[in-house]
Amino acid sequence: MTTLAQWLTAETDDTALRSVVVSMAGASAELADVLRVAPIAGQTGLAGHTNVQGEAQKALDVISNDVVLKHLQANTAVSVLISEELDDAVQFENQGAFIVATDPLDGSSNLDVNVTVGTIFSVLPSAGGLLQKGRAQRAAGFVAYGPATSLVLRIAGAVSVFTLDDKGEWVQVVVAAKVPETTGEFAINTARERFWDAATLGYVKESVAGETGPAGKRYNMRWVGSMVADILRILMRGGIFLYPLDSETVSKGGRLRLLYEANPMAWLIEGAGGLSTTGRQGILDVEPTGIHQRVPVILGSAEEVRRVETWYAKG
Ligand code: AHG
Ligand code: MN
Ligand code: MN
């Protein structure tokens, strides 16, 4: 059995980079313990304030942010933390080589019903500054707190998946995740249909038309409402995830955030052979203009992402 430490040693000679991943894995292992007993500890429910995105923070959003902050602050390889839950980037005292951008708790609307949530992170070189394209990432990963706690990672080579064992050790369970090229599964919040653009409407209509429709096959739909769970499924068995620009989110630029949701997920999906796009350009090529910038997100199995791009190219 390969452990996370063994994998990291084989993956990169950069000990500072390794230590950043170890810090995020440590924060996530601590969070897995917190989440497991949160309903007993009375930690479910709202925190009573809103974050910079105008979203009501849950108590566990705040706790998760604090845990990640604690672990990264203790690591001299980290210079800056960008978090969904913090208005401004936090500059640490040391001049570490890396910036971490994180969604400390993704899917928090699912917390009170015991559905999978997660932690997403992106590691960038400090030299590049706060606003770097996704292509500049040096490492990315996410944790899904599901029936098992899974850690998905990419540094230099293949996308690897680890499971947290009962002793707190991360054990490798997938050596090289590969997103199947084709799929019969799509993920989108269909309750937003009235806001959709022509491309999204066209793609989904085509997909639900079944064997005799233009797509020529039957599709199934899955939407967990936690990006981490939807993306883990797509990494393991294929599929496509869409949170496109729609008439309600257009003024904000989209729903999901570029630096700590779209970019790490796009980099992981592409590292496993899938594709990602905003519909108009590759997610990893988007030039960020703000740390909490939002972006349309379409990613997953290559053939399917190309089919959506064809729809966008029409108009
Ligand atoms: P967060 O909990 O960090 O705010 O992110 C929630 C995101 C993402 O996880 C999920 O895919 C999406 O929001 C769900 O959106 P809808 O509520 O519109 O389905
Ligand atoms: Mn999120
Ligand atoms: Mn979040």
Side-chain angles (χ1 to χ4, degrees), residues 157-266:
V159 175
S160 200
V161 185
F162 300 83
T163 296
L164 188 62
D165 75 8
D166 51 0
K167 296 172 202 71
E169 183 90 69
W170 295 97
V171 179
Q172 190 179 41
V173 291
V174 178
V175 174
K178 184 91 191 78
V179 181
E181 172 91 13
T182 58
T183 181
E185 230 165 42
F186 68 90
I188 189 167
N189 182 346
T190 52
R192 306 189 61 79
E193 182 175 332
R194 68 190 185 283
F195 305 124
W196 287 350
D197 57 18
T200 308
L201 263 177
Y203 170 77
V204 174
K205 273 218 167 89
E206 203 172 75
S207 302
V208 296
E211 294 88 335
T212 56
K217 65 176 176 185
R218 180 182 286 247
Y219 279 78
N220 203 359
M221 197 279 278
R222 287 285 180 276
W223 183 255
V224 179
S226 293
M227 190 187 198
V228 286
D230 282 311
I231 299 301
L232 184 58
R233 183 188 64 251
I234 291 168
L235 271 167
M236 304 305 284
R237 72 173 190 213
I240 182 169
F241 174 96
L242 304 100
Y243 215 119
L245 197 63
D246 61 34
S247 63
E248 197 182 45
T249 58
V250 68
S251 60
K252 292 178 175 173
R255 161 77 165 89
L256 298 172
R257 279 60 51 113
L258 177 62
L259 263 53
Y260 41 82
E261 290 177 319
N263 273 342
M265 291 310 202

Side-chain angles (χ1 to χ4, degrees), residues 23-24 26-28 30-32 34-35 43 47 49 51 57-75 81-88 90 92 102-105 118-119 145:
S23 291
M24 286 307 302
S28 300
E30 184 173 333
L31 279 174
V34 170
L35 292 166
Q43 290 165 325
H49 20 89
N51 65 15
Q57 278 179 317
K58 301 270 180 131
L60 284 164
D61 281 323
V62 178
I63 292 167
S64 303
N65 183 72
D66 290 348
V67 168
V68 172
L69 179 65
K70 178 185 78 181
H71 281 258
L72 293 182
Q73 213 157 20
N75 187 336
L81 170 65
I82 294 168
S83 167
E84 176 184 323
E85 304 304 335
L86 298 168
D87 300 9
D88 301 312
V90 181
F92 296 136
T102 187
D103 176 354
L105 196 55
T119 300
Y145 308 101

Side-chain angles (χ1 to χ4, degrees), residues 7-51:
W7 179 80
L8 283 169
T9 308
E11 195 68 10
T12 175
D13 292 335
D14 188 333
T15 52
L17 182 57
R18 273 191 234 156
S19 78
V20 178
V21 173
V22 167
S23 291
M24 286 307 302
S28 300
E30 184 173 333
L31 279 174
D33 283 342
V34 170
L35 292 166
R36 190 176 303 117
V37 293
I40 302 170
Q43 290 165 325
T44 48
L46 295 175
H49 20 89
T50 54
N51 65 15

Side-chain angles (χ1 to χ4, degrees), residues 83-132:
S83 167
E84 176 184 323
E85 304 304 335
L86 298 168
D87 300 9
D88 301 312
V90 181
Q91 302 272 348
F92 296 136
E93 271 164 25
N94 44 66
Q95 302 298 311
F98 297 103
I99 294 171
V100 176
T102 187
D103 176 354
L105 196 55
D106 174 67
S108 46
S109 69
N110 277 329
L111 273 171
D112 297 352
V113 290
N114 195 23
V115 168
T116 297
V117 292
T119 300
I120 312 173
F121 66 95
S122 165
V123 184
L124 294 151
S126 299
L130 292 183
L131 303 177
Q132 302 180 55

